[in-house]
Amino acid sequence: MRKRFLPRLVTVVVALVAACLTGSLTAAAEAPVRPLMGGMALNADPTGPVSRPCVSAFNVRSGKTGYVLTHGACGRVGQPVYGPDGTLIGKIAFVGTVGPDAALVEVSNTRQWEQGPWIALPETRQPLTVAGAKEAPVGGKVCISSPVSGSRCGTITARNQTVNLPDRTLRGMIRTDICVRDGDRGAPLFARDVLGRVHAQGHLVAASRWFPCASYFQPLDAVLSHYRLTLLTG
């Protein structure tokens, strides 16, 4: 009886292991892939020391590692960051405290997030494709995209502005007359060239609470050059 029972037991165990492996592979294959775009809500782990909802600005890379760029005060290094549906994106890998304002979220959950040169528009399901980062002139039309304020446009009123934040002073900022709200921090600023192509300009770092509206953005070119990053374009 023991000799007959042992082969049957082994057969059952092998079958169970195969079923588990097949189920795991099937679940992995069926996991939905989400497009990771600028203009999306980001949420740091609420159990961490800092929990501030922010907006993704642009997708960037350093070598083979992908990051989401956002406002430097959105969280602290090591904090998990989640997308608008609560799906983990990765952890904050870097926060600029001396150079240009920036927080970089490493995209480690590549099974469920796909990076691309996109900016989400709340009013439409069709995202914008970032073609480059050509600097718009003072007086040029620019827009932001945020899940809080939606898409808003205005003009660049000045460059090389100094902004005093509670924890640091930022220099070389872009000033616009776009009205923004709390929760828009990190929102991407972009412009269009004469051919209608989208060019990344920077991300929101501060705003005036008085009328007329004044919003301030960290120029993207300074972030890319200082931290040796590459903007994803298409």
Side-chain angles (χ1 to χ4, degrees):
M1 292 297 292
R2 291 183 180 178
K3 291 183 179 180
R4 292 181 181 179
F5 178 73
L6 185 58
R8 291 180 182 178
L9 178 61
V10 172
T11 301
V12 171
V13 171
V14 170
L16 288 173
V17 170
C20 290
L21 289 174
T22 302
S24 299
L25 292 174
T26 302
E30 294 176 352
V33 178
R34 301 155 175 80
L36 188 54
M37 302 181 281
M40 289 174 45
L42 299 178
N43 288 285
D45 182 5
T47 63
V50 177
S51 179
R52 298 177 179 176
C54 289
V55 181
S56 57
F58 304 102
N59 281 306
V60 297
R61 298 190 72 83
S62 176
K64 295 182 179 180
T65 305
Y67 300 95
V68 178
L69 171 65
T70 186
H71 180 28
C74 287
R76 295 184 178 177
V77 173
Q79 280 187 275
V81 175
Y82 303 86
D85 64 351
T87 301
L88 177 69
I89 296 173
K91 294 183 178 180
I92 297 176
F94 174 81
V95 175
T97 56
V98 178
D101 176 84
L104 297 175
V105 181
E106 182 176 347
V107 184
S108 58
N109 186 10
T110 55
R111 185 170 63 86
Q112 292 180 284
W113 291 103
E114 179 186 3
Q115 284 189 284
W118 310 303
I119 296 176
L121 295 179
E123 297 83 5
T124 174
R125 293 184 178 180
Q126 187 66 33
L128 299 175
T129 298
V130 177
K134 182 179 179 181
E135 185 178 286
V138 174
K141 181 180 178 180
V142 286
C143 302
I144 69 164
S145 179
S146 165
V148 177
S149 293
S151 299
R152 295 188 176 189
C153 298
T155 59
I156 294 178
T157 56
R159 284 186 174 271
N160 297 317
Q161 298 296 290
T162 298
V163 177
N164 294 311
L165 299 179
D167 58 342
R168 63 181 301 195
T169 297
L170 296 174
R171 294 178 173 83
M173 300 299 103
I174 302 169
R175 187 180 72 204
T176 80
D177 58 5
I178 301 174
C179 297
V180 298
R181 301 187 217 173
D182 290 339
D184 286 334
R185 287 171 300 186
L189 182 73
F190 58 92
R192 291 181 182 270
D193 61 20
V194 292
L195 298 178
R197 294 172 299 194
V198 176
H199 288 267
Q201 302 296 306
H203 64 269
L204 180 66
V205 295
S208 171
R209 294 183 179 274
W210 299 276
F211 186 84
C213 296
S215 46
Y216 298 87
F217 297 81
Q218 168 66 63
L220 178 63
D221 57 355
V223 174
L224 297 179
S225 61
H226 189 87
Y227 301 121
R228 298 181 180 180
L229 301 169
T230 302
L231 175 68
L232 268 64
T233 59

